[in-house]
Amino acid sequence: MSLKPADSAFLDRVASHVGAGVLSEPEPRYLEEPRGRFAGQAAAVAKPRTVEEVAALVRLCNEASVPVVPYGGGTGLVGGQVKGEGVVPLVISLERMRAIRDVFPEENVIIAEAGAVLEAVQAAAQEADRLFPLSLAAQGSCQIGGNLATNAGGVNVLRYGNARDLCLGLEAVLPSGEIWHGLSRLRKDNTGYDLKNLLIGAEGSLGIITAASLKLFARPVGEGTALMAVPSVAAALDLLAITRDHVGEAVSAFELIHREGLDFLAETMPEVRQPFAEKPDWCVLIDLGLGAGQEPQSVLEAIFATALERDLVLDGLIAQSETQRGEFWSVRESIPLANRKIGAILSNDISIPISRIAEFVVEGHTALAKLGPLRINAFGHLGDGNLHYNVYPPKGENRNNYNHLIDDVKGIVNGLVHKYNGSISAEHGIGRMKTGELERYGDPVKLATMRAIKSALDPKGIMNPGVVLKA
Amino acid sequence: MSLKPADSAFLDRVASHVGAGVLSEPEPRYLEEPRGRFAGQAAAVAKPRTVEEVAALVRLCNEASVPVVPYGGGTGLVGGQVKGEGVVPLVISLERMRAIRDVFPEENVIIAEAGAVLEAVQAAAQEADRLFPLSLAAQGSCQIGGNLATNAGGVNVLRYGNARDLCLGLEAVLPSGEIWHGLSRLRKDNTGYDLKNLLIGAEGSLGIITAASLKLFARPVGEGTALMAVPSVAAALDLLAITRDHVGEAVSAFELIHREGLDFLAETMPEVRQPFAEKPDWCVLIDLGLGAGQEPQSVLEAIFATALERDLVLDGLIAQSETQRGEFWSVRESIPLANRKIGAILSNDISIPISRIAEFVVEGHTALAKLGPLRINAFGHLGDGNLHYNVYPPKGENRNNYNHLIDDVKGIVNGLVHKYNGSISAEHGIGRMKTGELERYGDPVKLATMRAIKSALDPKGIMNPGVVLKA
């Protein structure tokens, strides 16, 4: 199957079918990605206003064998939104389809179009006195369609699940240009294969999500936040178990922070207030969202007391006000910014079976130390087993002087992840960046099955070619 | 593609490959299903002991175009486990693969083989001081592989999700006979298409699940149960919202009971103690599982007080002991048995968008009343929008005298479910019983996509033919 470029004759045809107003010149922002590792190309950017227009566009592309790159907020970190090589595609941006179509507070459901910015979905939920819990750094610009296409994670996965777990139904345009009307509001529906979860996480390679029905939750009545210094990663995991014994699912976030992250903050963002007088090697941020009748501060005190008896905590700070909660969270949220200022040799988004994280961290540090005096900032969503395991040059040195080590670092980290039955992409996806690693480390029977599904649903291979699977 | 029967030459070939001990005569129990609506056929029942033996069996069937019927506990209610028509299949029963392969309490994971009985999985979790929350009437005989293949539901879906939500990874044999090794223990893994969720709920038509890694949970510290009489279904839904405001996710079950169910109990099982002096039209059973520091009875009292102020409850009983909790639950759990003794004209396993259930119930009762003085017992998992909406003859009459009404009743119920954007199969699946209804009410684009996936993964159509999709 050979793909054809979106040439001017094709664009004329598109304009005559969907109206000239849908097509626009490809501004540079559609051809960039946050880490600057890929540059995209596009003949034009189509900005449809309705699912029918998306369907018409995809049908035309399918007929003409023209590749399609679906475009959400453009914040993905693995190059799924930029096709830099091969045949020039049509980019289809969902930005005009950003309506909140409906909110059903009494059934905890919201229906949003794919182009709705995540923060807008959160705000619409809040307006109905509900919570839409998906929360991540890019929420001011990422779009819910992209969040679903990539199965986004973030800080509240521990309690509420990732994007996949928050979705009840989809409306989507399949590679044929047909529309699947699947905006179910049902909590239980066992009628046939799970097409929804097949599209979620397929990164636009099996179709374009145009709208989604999403789960809402009761807003927690009492929220509380603590920072607790722990002697080890193993102790942090025991502390998580204690926290769950106290409050069950009400642990909204349980985030690990390494001393290196606090050092990076001190070095690059001295305006962020350091919580501890002396920086601990490891600490965790615990966020609780409780029901009526439970007082967050006293619950956190009880958790701390239990942990102290078992020598699992060295020090603890319980936020005494919303301002202080904000300060604690700003420590966690500023670390990725500080990381960027330091400049990583290599960032990794990995997950490890939770009981083996402590071992992994020790073994990783030991193995990487053999390459030189590198700095490692391991932080992230400990409760999910998801670490952002980033490797930096020694203090004062530029990462560009360490490019020769990238392959060695990558080999060590991926090798260890594989050894520990972990994942090389916990929440960012495969995109175009990691297709080679997926081929190397993925289960061959699963890969063959993925290829069979891709061929069955997209025989011409027009949908986001080169993403997840090599084109 | 024409299928070939599992004839004696084929069985000889199987015996020579996997050993004669794997094959056995098809005892009657493999050819029956609980409602007695279908009778199955089988040339033999294969009882493999390892995933490699399952793979060898499926490979041989695939080579010879012999149909395969995967067999779990045999408790399915839609005929997925009995192939009564067409080419005689080989039944593959997973009953010998029932090991609990591993328990990881510190990461809340258990790995069980497909043939493990659900109660055995629950018991293994309890032994590790954890909870495996899937809970349903057939738990003493259904198997976890079948629970996953059918995406089973039950009473704790509200809090913990259905079988799909409890599964982290699978080991499965695909129609080709290849083994997918996907027993992940990871909470987050964004590496490729979601093959796991494709197999879950496919009812054995895309492969045979041989083992699963499953989520465990902290056991609730304090449990409490109440029965509250409510003036209407709408009030019951408001009561659910109040309950969630008080305890968040800690509502383990929220079950609706209609007066008809209590009447059926009084009529057929007088030994079950009636909770209320006067039977209310509607009542709900609320089950809470709380963390440390919350006293279930006082929380339930606070919920009742709040609901009473808003005229949402008429009466309330809060269990004062474990014995009383058991009594309350036995009311709920005895209703399906009483139903069976009364004998339904038609049972329905439906779901409706939660905010429309109250309307649906009123409209359904009105429409069915036009057919005659039928009795309706609507009960079930209200918090999930899932009702078992069963229709019975007038008191003292036999259902067999009402067979002429089955199609009318079915037409009214399914028509209303469709009108309210509900599902004709909330938790029982499609099986062989509802393939026609799925074709009629399902989204045509989704159905075409399902067929494309089935053809891609199982081009000869050997895997449980006639299930989910017509053969």
Side-chain angles (χ1 to χ4, degrees):
Chain A
M1 233 71 60
S2 71
L3 294 171
K4 304 282 187 328
D7 58 19
S8 59
F10 174 75
L11 295 178
D12 289 346
R13 185 134 185 268
V14 170
S16 76
H17 273 79
V18 295
V22 167
L23 290 182
S24 65
E25 290 294 313
E27 295 162 46
R29 67 189 176 97
Y30 296 102
L31 311 176
E32 297 162 354
E33 53 90 42
R35 290 191 180 155
R37 302 196 188 186
F38 296 87
Q41 47 170 355
V45 177
K47 300 175 184 173
R49 289 153 298 202
T50 63
V51 62
E52 289 77 16
E53 286 185 351
V54 177
L57 289 164
V58 173
R59 205 160 47 238
L60 290 165
C61 288
N62 192 355
E63 278 165 20
S65 300
V66 166
V68 174
V69 173
Y71 197 89
T75 61
L77 294 171
V78 288
Q81 71 276 43
V82 281
K83 181 177 185 300
E85 291 175 6
V87 179
V88 179
L90 180 70
V91 169
I92 299 184
S93 168
L94 281 298
E95 67 202 74
R96 282 183 181 163
M97 290 188 66
R98 57 170 179 254
I100 303 295
R101 287 196 194 159
D102 243 323
V103 185
F104 303 92
E106 68 282 31
E107 54 188 64
N108 280 324
V109 173
I110 190 168
I111 299 184
E113 291 187 339
V117 168
L118 176 52
E119 259 180 12
V121 182
Q122 294 167 345
Q126 179 150 14
E127 210 168 300
D129 194 27
R130 291 293 182 275
L131 174 73
F132 182 65
L134 190 67
S135 174
L136 42 92
Q139 62 196 23
S141 52
C142 65
Q143 297 172 4
I144 190 67
N147 295 147
L148 289 163
T150 59
N151 187 28
V155 292
N156 288 333
V157 174
L158 182 66
R159 178 171 192 170
Y160 299 102
N162 47 22
R164 181 186 303 289
D165 300 308
L166 299 173
C167 182
L168 291 168
L170 293 177
E171 173 190 271
V173 173
L174 301 182
S176 60
E178 291 173 299
I179 301 169
W180 171 41
H181 294 285
L183 284 180
S184 168
R185 285 146 54 195
L186 304 172
R187 301 279 157 170
K188 285 166 91 174
D189 182 13
N190 274 352
T191 54
Y193 301 162
D194 189 352
L195 190 50
K196 177 190 81 184
N197 276 313
L198 192 60
L199 289 175
I200 294 174
E203 305 182 35
S205 68
L206 296 177
I208 300 181
I209 293 167
T210 56
S213 46
L214 302 161
K215 293 183 192 170
L216 298 179
F217 295 83
R219 300 187 73 77
V221 175
E223 294 178 294
T225 304
L227 279 167
M228 297 191 194
V230 292
S232 64
V233 175
L237 289 165
D238 288 340
L239 178 59
L240 173 60
I242 288 173
T243 307
R244 281 183 161 150
D245 284 343
H246 275 76
V247 300
E249 296 95 329
V251 198
S252 299
F254 196 91
E255 297 281 304
L256 182 72
I257 298 171
H258 186 245
R259 186 200 167 100
E260 203 70 76
L262 300 176
D263 284 342
F264 285 6
L265 272 185
E267 189 178 330
T268 65
M269 302 174 73
E271 69 277 16
V272 176
R273 186 166 162 190
Q274 290 281 339
F276 295 99
E278 199 169 328
K279 297 192 202 97
D281 277 349
W282 295 102
C283 66
V284 291
L285 181 148
I286 306 176
D287 200 69
L288 305 183
L290 301 168
Q294 272 188 302
E295 208 283 299
Q297 289 178 27
S298 59
V299 172
L300 285 165
E301 277 160 20
I303 292 167
F304 182 77
T306 308
L308 196 63
E309 266 170 35
R310 290 173 50 192
D311 293 328
L312 296 171
V313 287
L314 304 169
D315 196 359
L317 303 167
I318 296 170
Q320 302 297 320
S321 64
E322 277 305 299
T323 312
Q324 211 172 10
R325 282 190 73 213
E327 278 177 20
F328 288 3
W329 266 106
S330 103
V331 171
R332 167 63 184 86
E333 285 169 348
S334 302
I335 288 174
L337 305 174
N339 287 345
R340 227 163 287 171
K341 292 187 187 190
I342 299 284
I345 301 171
L346 188 74
S347 308
N348 296 286
D349 163 43
I350 61 175
S351 62
I352 300 287
I354 294 168
S355 69
R356 307 207 66 192
I357 288 182
E359 275 171 274
F360 171 88
V361 166
V362 171
E363 194 169 340
H365 281 50
T366 308
L368 289 169
K370 290 180 187 153
L371 295 180
L374 304 174
R375 292 182 294 175
I376 300 167
N377 188 11
F379 69 102
H381 320 303
L382 185 67
D384 309 316
N386 179 190
L387 286 187
H388 299 300
Y389 191 84
N390 299 353
V391 183
Y392 299 84
K395 190 165 178 181
E397 296 200 43
N398 190 295
R399 68 166 161 185
N400 294 331
N401 299 331
Y402 285 82
N403 285 341
H404 62 285
L405 286 185
I406 289 181
D407 285 344
D408 287 345
V409 171
K410 196 183 279 186
I412 287 172
V413 174
N414 286 346
L416 272 180
V417 167
H418 192 62
K419 172 181 161 184
Y420 281 92
N421 297 312
S423 168
I424 55 163
S425 185
E427 60 175 7
H428 295 166
I430 297 298
R432 292 182 167 84
M433 193 186 283
K434 295 189 177 175
T435 50
E437 278 131 300
L438 180 59
E439 282 188 0
R440 177 161 174 198
Y441 296 109
D443 179 84
V445 172
K446 179 176 174 186
L447 280 163
T449 308
M450 286 167 55
R451 285 191 201 100
I453 293 168
K454 170 76 174 172
S455 296
L457 271 52
D458 182 17
K460 292 185 173 178
I462 63 162
M463 287 304 309
N464 219 5
V467 159
V468 184
L469 297 165
K470 287 188 179 173
Chain B
M1 234 70 61
S2 70
L3 293 171
K4 306 283 186 327
D7 58 19
S8 59
F10 174 75
L11 295 178
D12 288 348
R13 187 136 183 267
V14 169
S16 77
H17 272 79
V18 295
V22 167
L23 291 181
S24 64
E25 289 296 312
E27 296 162 46
R29 66 187 177 97
Y30 297 102
L31 309 175
E32 297 162 353
E33 54 89 43
R35 291 189 179 156
R37 301 192 188 186
F38 296 86
Q41 48 170 356
V45 177
K47 299 176 184 172
R49 289 154 296 201
T50 62
V51 62
E52 289 77 18
E53 285 185 353
V54 177
L57 290 163
V58 173
R59 204 162 46 237
L60 291 166
C61 288
N62 193 357
E63 278 166 19
S65 300
V66 166
V68 174
V69 173
Y71 197 89
T75 62
L77 295 170
V78 288
Q81 71 277 45
V82 282
K83 182 178 184 300
E85 290 174 5
V87 180
V88 179
L90 179 70
V91 169
I92 300 183
S93 169
L94 279 297
E95 66 202 74
R96 282 183 180 163
M97 289 187 65
R98 55 170 182 257
I100 303 294
R101 286 197 195 158
D102 242 322
V103 185
F104 302 91
E106 68 284 28
E107 53 187 66
N108 279 323
V109 173
I110 190 169
I111 298 183
E113 290 188 340
V117 168
L118 176 52
E119 260 181 11
V121 181
Q122 294 167 345
Q126 180 151 13
E127 210 168 300
D129 194 26
R130 291 293 183 277
L131 175 73
F132 182 64
L134 190 68
S135 174
L136 43 92
Q139 62 197 23
S141 51
C142 65
Q143 296 172 4
I144 190 67
N147 295 147
L148 290 164
T150 59
N151 188 27
V155 292
N156 288 333
V157 174
L158 182 66
R159 179 171 191 168
Y160 299 102
N162 46 23
R164 183 187 301 292
D165 300 308
L166 299 173
C167 182
L168 291 169
L170 294 177
E171 173 190 272
V173 173
L174 300 182
S176 59
E178 290 173 300
I179 302 169
W180 170 40
H181 295 285
L183 285 179
S184 168
R185 285 146 54 194
L186 304 174
R187 301 278 157 170
K188 287 166 89 174
D189 182 12
N190 275 351
T191 54
Y193 301 163
D194 189 352
L195 190 51
K196 176 190 82 184
N197 276 312
L198 193 60
L199 290 176
I200 294 174
E203 305 182 35
S205 68
L206 296 177
I208 301 180
I209 293 168
T210 54
S213 47
L214 302 161
K215 293 182 193 172
L216 299 178
F217 294 83
R219 301 186 72 78
V221 175
E223 292 178 295
T225 304
L227 278 167
M228 297 192 194
V230 291
S232 64
V233 175
L237 288 165
D238 289 341
L239 178 59
L240 173 58
I242 287 172
T243 307
R244 280 184 162 150
D245 284 343
H246 276 75
V247 301
E249 295 95 330
V251 198
S252 299
F254 196 91
E255 296 281 305
L256 182 71
I257 298 171
H258 185 243
R259 185 198 168 101
E260 205 70 76
L262 300 176
D263 285 342
F264 285 7
L265 271 186
E267 191 178 329
T268 64
M269 303 174 73
E271 69 277 15
V272 175
R273 186 169 163 189
Q274 290 283 338
F276 294 100
E278 201 169 327
K279 295 191 202 98
D281 278 350
W282 294 104
C283 65
V284 290
L285 181 149
I286 306 175
D287 200 67
L288 304 184
L290 300 169
Q294 272 189 301
E295 208 284 297
Q297 289 178 28
S298 60
V299 172
L300 285 164
E301 279 160 21
I303 291 167
F304 182 76
T306 308
L308 196 62
E309 267 171 36
R310 291 174 49 190
D311 293 328
L312 296 171
V313 287
L314 303 169
D315 196 358
L317 304 165
I318 295 170
Q320 301 298 320
S321 63
E322 276 304 299
T323 312
Q324 212 174 9
R325 282 190 71 212
E327 277 176 20
F328 289 3
W329 266 107
S330 105
V331 171
R332 166 63 184 86
E333 285 170 348
S334 301
I335 288 174
L337 305 174
N339 287 344
R340 227 164 285 171
K341 292 186 185 190
I342 297 284
I345 301 171
L346 189 74
S347 309
N348 296 286
D349 163 43
I350 62 176
S351 62
I352 301 287
I354 293 167
S355 70
R356 307 209 64 191
I357 288 182
E359 276 171 273
F360 170 89
V361 167
V362 171
E363 195 170 341
H365 280 50
T366 308
L368 290 169
K370 291 181 185 151
L371 295 181
L374 304 174
R375 293 183 294 176
I376 300 166
N377 188 12
F379 68 102
H381 321 302
L382 186 66
D384 309 317
N386 179 191
L387 288 187
H388 298 300
Y389 191 85
N390 298 354
V391 183
Y392 300 84
K395 191 166 179 181
E397 295 199 43
N398 190 296
R399 67 165 161 185
N400 293 331
N401 300 328
Y402 285 82
N403 285 341
H404 61 285
L405 286 185
I406 289 180
D407 284 345
D408 287 345
V409 171
K410 198 184 279 187
I412 287 172
V413 174
N414 286 346
L416 273 179
V417 167
H418 191 62
K419 173 182 160 183
Y420 281 92
N421 297 312
S423 168
I424 55 164
S425 186
E427 59 176 7
H428 295 166
I430 297 299
R432 291 182 167 83
M433 193 186 281
K434 296 189 176 175
T435 51
E437 278 131 299
L438 181 59
E439 280 188 1
R440 178 161 173 198
Y441 295 109
D443 180 83
V445 172
K446 180 176 173 184
L447 280 162
T449 308
M450 285 167 56
R451 286 190 200 99
I453 292 168
K454 171 76 174 171
S455 297
L457 270 53
D458 182 17
K460 292 185 172 178
I462 62 161
M463 285 305 309
N464 219 3
V467 159
V468 184
L469 297 165
K470 287 187 179 174

